[in-house]
């Protein structure tokens, strides 16, 4: 029988405390992830069906947070002076959909996802990070509630996806907290400059994506108009190279 939300919340309170995790609590967390994985498999099937219906070349991936990642997330929040309710974490199970789509098409795909899940009796909520980015991160998230558990579906343009993947690389190297606006754990001003550069590039890319979407809506040829985006993504790839250079200098 699946754990109640109350039991999950109490489990999270125990896991957020520093120190060793008991075998019993670790087993309970693993059981929770098994439940979430079943929902993830169901939701992935729905997303795959929808992607087959559209003409855009979309890539779909999915992932389940690990026990270590969840425990670290809970303990990191506690160390910052806030407590995270494990029962309300929306991205334990996640699906990512990305591809060469415009902002308008991103909206259309989002509506399709919401309509399909709501037609099945599930509740959906939206997080639109395009106008209100977090440290430069932009995307649209659909949070689907299935049986009291959540599956987070991230819908990204190709530019948003490349940007997010690079920023994840920065966080892997210099500290996961930078995703929430915290300073890097090491690397100093050089890393801070990279983060600032990426935030600026995110804003510039979003403005260009809005221009491209408007141009296509006005009758512009889609392929040629979308090519304007491709030429600008080289800047993001250069940032990735800068990250690796900084890592190399930090290691010496």
């Amino acid at each position: 029988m699946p754990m109640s939300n109350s039991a999950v919340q109490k489990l999270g309170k125990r896991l957020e405390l520093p120190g060793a995790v008991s075998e019993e609590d670790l087993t309970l967390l693993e059981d929770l992830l098994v439940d979430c994985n079943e929902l993830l498999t169901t939701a992935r099937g729905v997303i795959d069906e929808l992607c087959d219906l559209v003409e855009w070349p979309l890539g779909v991936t999915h992932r389940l947070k690990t026990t270590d990642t969840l425990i670290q997330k809970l303990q990191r929040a506690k160390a910052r002076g806030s407590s995270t309710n494990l029962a309300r974490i929306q991205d334990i199970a996640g699906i990512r959909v990305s591809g060469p789509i415009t902002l308008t098409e991103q909206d259309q795909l989002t509506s399709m996802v919401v309509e399909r899940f709501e037609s099945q009796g599930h509740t959906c909520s939206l997080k639109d990070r395009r106008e209100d980015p977090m440290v430069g991160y932009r995307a649209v998230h659909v949070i689907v509630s299935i049986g009291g558990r959540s599956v987070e579906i991230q819908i990204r343009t190709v530019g948003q996806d490349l940007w997010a993947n690079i920023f994840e690389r920065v966080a892997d190297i210099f500290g996961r907290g930078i995703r929430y606006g915290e300073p890097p754990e090491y690397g100093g001003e050089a890393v801070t400059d990279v983060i600032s550069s990426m935030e600026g590039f995110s804003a510039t890319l979003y403005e260009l994506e809005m221009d491209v979407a408007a141009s296509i809506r006005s009758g512009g040829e889609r392929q040629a108009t979308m090519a304007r985006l491709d030429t600008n993504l080289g800047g993001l790839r250069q940032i990735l190279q800068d990250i690796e250079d900084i890592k190399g200098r930090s290691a010496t």
Side-chain angles (χ1 to χ4, degrees):
M1 180 177 178
M3 296 172 62
S4 67
N5 283 343
S6 175
V8 173
Q9 182 178 6
K10 291 177 181 177
L11 172 62
K13 290 295 184 182
R14 297 193 297 272
L15 294 174
E16 72 181 7
L17 299 176
V21 175
S22 71
E23 288 295 328
E24 180 181 0
D25 282 345
L26 186 57
T27 298
L28 288 173
L29 184 58
E30 290 170 347
D31 290 342
L32 174 63
L33 291 178
V34 169
D35 292 340
C36 291
N37 190 53
E38 292 177 358
L39 299 179
L40 182 58
T41 300
T42 299
R44 172 65 193 258
V46 173
I47 295 300
D48 284 341
E49 289 178 5
L50 287 175
C51 289
D52 287 341
L53 296 176
V54 299
E55 61 184 13
W56 315 307
L58 298 170
V60 183
T61 60
H62 67 272
R63 61 101 186 98
L64 191 71
K65 284 191 181 297
T66 65
T67 54
D68 286 346
T69 300
L70 276 173
I71 292 169
Q72 291 169 11
K73 182 183 181 77
L74 291 166
Q75 293 185 352
R76 188 166 53 243
K78 183 69 172 179
R80 291 198 305 265
S82 61
S83 183
T84 299
N85 186 341
L86 179 59
R88 294 183 180 176
I89 293 179
Q90 298 175 330
D91 63 345
I92 294 178
I95 298 173
R96 182 177 302 159
V97 184
S98 62
I101 56 176
T102 68
L103 297 176
T104 301
E105 292 160 350
Q106 187 178 28
D107 287 334
Q108 293 171 353
L109 183 57
T110 298
S111 296
M112 291 174 63
V113 170
V114 171
E115 290 170 4
R116 177 60 63 90
F117 280 105
E118 289 187 342
S119 72
Q120 296 177 351
H122 307 304
T123 302
C124 296
S125 61
L126 291 182
K127 284 185 180 179
D128 191 336
R129 286 290 185 188
R130 294 174 299 183
E131 289 287 349
D132 182 27
M134 176 177 285
V135 199
Y137 172 78
R138 285 179 164 86
V140 178
H141 293 185
V142 180
I143 313 301
V144 185
S145 179
I146 303 175
R149 301 278 186 260
S150 295
V151 177
E152 180 186 75
I153 302 166
Q154 301 176 352
I155 301 174
R156 300 175 180 175
T157 67
V158 66
Q160 292 166 358
D161 191 54
L162 177 59
W163 188 99
N165 289 338
I166 293 175
F167 201 77
E168 280 290 315
R169 179 60 171 151
V170 178
D172 286 341
I173 299 171
F174 301 107
R176 306 293 291 172
I178 66 171
R179 299 178 306 157
Y180 308 103
E182 298 176 9
E185 294 176 5
Y186 60 93
E189 187 175 345
V191 179
T192 301
D193 289 344
V194 169
I195 294 170
S196 178
S197 176
M198 286 205 65
E199 289 188 79
F201 199 98
S202 173
T204 300
L205 179 61
Y206 184 52
E207 291 177 0
L208 178 58
E209 287 183 320
M210 287 192 291
D211 288 344
V212 166
S215 178
I216 293 176
R217 285 196 302 270
S218 299
E221 200 277 320
R222 188 182 189 281
Q223 184 174 353
T225 306
M226 290 291 288
R228 293 169 52 197
L229 288 172
D230 293 335
T231 59
N232 282 268
L233 296 184
L236 279 177
R237 298 184 179 96
Q238 181 58 53
I239 290 175
L240 180 58
Q241 183 59 56
D242 293 342
I243 294 166
E244 299 299 343
D245 291 345
I246 294 170
K247 182 186 177 184
R249 291 196 299 270
S250 300
T252 58

